Amino acid sequence: MSSAIALFASARRNGNTGQFIDWIASTLGIQVIDLSEKNISPYDYDHKNINDDFIPVMNQLLRHEKIIFVTPVYWYGPSAQMKTFIDRTSDFLDVEELKGIGKRLRNKTAYIVCTSISDNADSSFINSFKSTFEYLGMNYGGHVHANCENGYNQVEYEEDVEKFIKSIQE
Ligand SMILES: Cc1cc2nc3c(=O)[nH]c(=O)nc-3n(C[C@H](O)[C@H](O)[C@H](O)COP(=O)(O)O)c2cc1C
């Protein structure tokens, strides 16, 4: 397996999404970065935040070929921390010194791990990620979703997780 890493962002560390990714990450033996522990401020046209944790986190991700984006569905979209991180990839488009870093995302494979209280991850949620990956030149590897309508219940997701893990290990 080429190396993988998970980028996790939820309003709580050990909630549904946290438990879901901890299970997947421990099976794969990969690191989980928790965006809530990082100081990453919202996109700024003037780039006054250039020295916050965004570039160090991105450099950590870029050491891996497979990047797993992990978030609950909050109002048909990702968590605020994940959205902030995605917005910041715009720094690569308009800060000359960072363009080289942005280009290194190309041809990496992106995956989504998500939870919600619906049968499936909302299509607008998945599609916004897919479009973003495409724009950044990344391949889309697929997603796995846990319906936590009745709480987090691992046995319900075993089959889907097994398939997802196999697709990452290919
Ligand atoms: C602010 C907020 C918005 C939510 N929006 C949605 C939604 O649009 N669709 C959905 O199915 N579930 C929604 N949920 C439910 C969460 O996706 C679900 O409970 C998820 O498993 C929570 O993961 P967490 O424990 O990591 O926060 C929302 C929950 C919160 C707190």
Side-chain angles (χ1 to χ4, degrees), residues 109 129 149:
T109 305
F129 268 107
E149 195 175 1

Side-chain angles (χ1 to χ4, degrees), residues 7 17 30 41 56 68 78 110 124 148 156:
L7 184 68
T17 320
I30 65 168
S41 59
I68 307 171
S124 57
C148 299
E156 283 178 37

Side-chain angles (χ1 to χ4, degrees), residues 70-125:
V70 188
T71 173
V73 178
Y74 288 161
W75 292 107
Y76 312 98
S79 64
Q81 295 94 326
M82 181 61 76
K83 181 63 167 66
T84 295
F85 185 86
I86 292 168
D87 284 356
R88 287 293 297 279
T89 59
S90 296
D91 288 0
F92 297 139
L93 309 177
D94 42 36
V95 180
E96 199 55 47
E97 310 88 81
L98 299 183
K99 286 184 180 167
I101 302 181
K103 282 182 190 154
R104 286 168 53 210
L105 281 170
R106 290 184 196 160
N107 299 318
K108 300 213 180 267
T109 305
Y111 301 81
I112 306 163
V113 167
C114 56
T115 72
S116 76
I117 51 167
S118 310
D119 285 341
N120 298 298
D122 195 81
S123 59
S124 57
F125 167 88

Side-chain angles (χ1 to χ4, degrees), residues 20-21 41-43 46 49 55-56 65 68 71 74 81 93 101 103 105-106 124 128 134 136 139 158-159 162 164:
F20 198 37
I21 190 55
S41 59
Y43 178 77
D46 298 325
N49 51 11
I55 298 296
E65 287 312 305
I68 307 171
T71 173
Y74 288 161
Q81 295 94 326
L93 309 177
I101 302 181
K103 282 182 190 154
L105 281 170
R106 290 184 196 160
S124 57
S128 73
E134 194 178 344
L136 294 170
N139 305 310
E158 268 167 4
E159 216 172 292
E162 196 181 322
F164 181 73

